[in-house]
Amino acid sequence: MTTAAHTDARLIVERRDDVLLLTLSNPAMRNALHPDIYATGTEALLTAADDPTLGAIVLTGAGEHFCAGGNLNRLAANRSQPPALQRDSIERFHRWVLVLRRCPLPVIAAVEGNAAGAGFSLALACDFIVAAESAKFTMAYVKVGLSPDGGGSAFTGRLLPRQLAAELLLTGAPVDSRRLHALGVVNRIAADGTALDEALALAQSLARGPRAAHGRIKGLLDAAGQQPLERQLDLEADNFVDSLFGPEAAEGIDAFRAKRTPDFPRSPT
């Protein structure tokens, strides 16, 4: 979290071929978040989900850091307002996180420097994390007497051993990219200054894959562990049959049998 004044916090949305690049831009404040960013991010993701020419999304931060989380000056000011104001702000952030999580496209976080508080939550909401070797991740909420938002407790609780999740949330101690990589939370370690390049390369590779299958797989992963095995198996059967009789499987199977690289269709399925 940061205590500097809010200055021009925005989300830059740009296209790199068939990859959508979202850049948290407020570098003077280490890319601290603001409600305007949530609205732009939600709209960008919903639009991307309906664009058959896009295949993957990368989320990164401008400058030397990924995201410092919330703006403490704004939070302090909100303490003099009705609690409903802060509740509304969090719910807009949470809508962005849910849309990000449910987006049918693979989403990759490219992390340089610090990912703190809600910034760490945002990275964990992505499907992949590519982190610079010196990157640091911190659930900093407890340092100022707060509890997590943005799915911080949900994601750490699911992805990490209980003791490590408790350590991160209860002490606010940082964890480095190497430790998270060893635990399987960070997918790839990049040399400092190259996390975005590595993430874009991964995104381009994913973008050539079967878009509809990616969306089905993401849905299955989110459902796993939240329902009885029998229901998960039914969901797998439904998705498999839908996939098999779709154009992606037709191309994929034909390509495999012909020993060629598949050229998956980019039209809606």
Side-chain angles (χ1 to χ4, degrees):
M1 293 185 178
T2 179
T3 58
H6 163 60
T7 55
D8 300 325
R10 63 193 179 115
L11 185 72
I12 300 171
V13 181
E14 58 183 308
R15 183 167 183 147
R16 302 280 184 93
D17 297 321
D18 46 4
V19 173
L20 188 69
L21 176 60
L22 305 178
T23 304
L24 301 163
S25 182
N26 191 5
M29 297 172 59
R30 297 189 174 188
N31 303 320
L33 296 173
H34 185 272
D36 291 347
I37 290 175
Y38 314 152
T40 304
T42 298
E43 181 182 0
L45 290 169
L46 291 174
T47 300
D50 289 333
D51 185 345
T53 66
L54 285 171
I57 297 168
V58 173
L59 176 65
T60 194
E64 299 178 353
H65 298 282
F66 180 72
C67 178
N71 181 337
L72 287 182
N73 277 354
R74 185 168 59 82
L75 293 178
N78 284 354
R79 281 174 50 82
S80 65
Q81 303 296 320
L85 179 72
Q86 183 61 46
R87 177 78 187 201
D88 178 70
S89 177
I90 292 176
E91 287 180 351
R92 282 187 278 171
F93 177 39
H94 286 178
R95 173 164 168 73
W96 185 28
V97 170
L98 284 171
V99 170
L100 186 157
R101 194 71 176 179
R102 293 170 180 170
C103 180
L105 305 179
V107 184
I108 305 162
V111 180
E112 297 277 355
N114 292 320
F120 191 2
S121 298
L122 203 53
L124 290 172
C126 297
D127 301 302
F128 299 82
I129 298 176
V130 177
E133 193 162 11
S134 65
K136 294 288 191 295
F137 298 81
T138 313
M139 282 295 176
Y141 301 91
V142 73
K143 296 284 191 178
V144 292
L146 293 172
S147 55
D149 64 355
S153 61
F155 298 133
T156 57
R158 293 176 191 171
L159 297 172
L160 298 173
R162 174 64 167 75
Q163 287 78 3
L164 179 55
E167 176 186 338
L168 294 181
L169 295 175
L170 295 176
T171 71
V175 59
D176 61 37
S177 57
R178 287 288 178 189
R179 188 176 185 190
L180 290 182
H181 184 261
L183 291 163
V185 176
V186 165
N187 297 87
R188 297 185 182 179
I189 300 288
D192 290 349
T194 69
L196 178 56
D197 291 339
E198 291 276 354
L200 286 170
L202 174 58
Q204 290 288 358
S205 175
L206 289 164
R208 292 190 290 269
R211 175 185 162 118
H214 284 163
R216 292 187 180 102
I217 291 166
K218 286 188 61 170
L220 287 168
L221 286 172
D222 277 345
Q226 300 181 43
Q227 57 186 348
L229 176 60
E230 291 82 359
R231 176 60 193 134
Q232 184 72 12
L233 292 174
D234 285 342
L235 198 58
E236 288 186 354
D238 291 342
N239 279 275
F240 188 97
V241 171
D242 287 345
S243 296
L244 179 61
F245 289 91
E248 291 180 349
E251 167 60 14
I253 293 170
D254 284 349
F256 181 84
R257 296 172 71 186
K259 295 182 172 57
R260 62 174 174 83
T261 301
D263 182 15
F264 291 110
R266 308 313 297 167
S267 59
T269 56

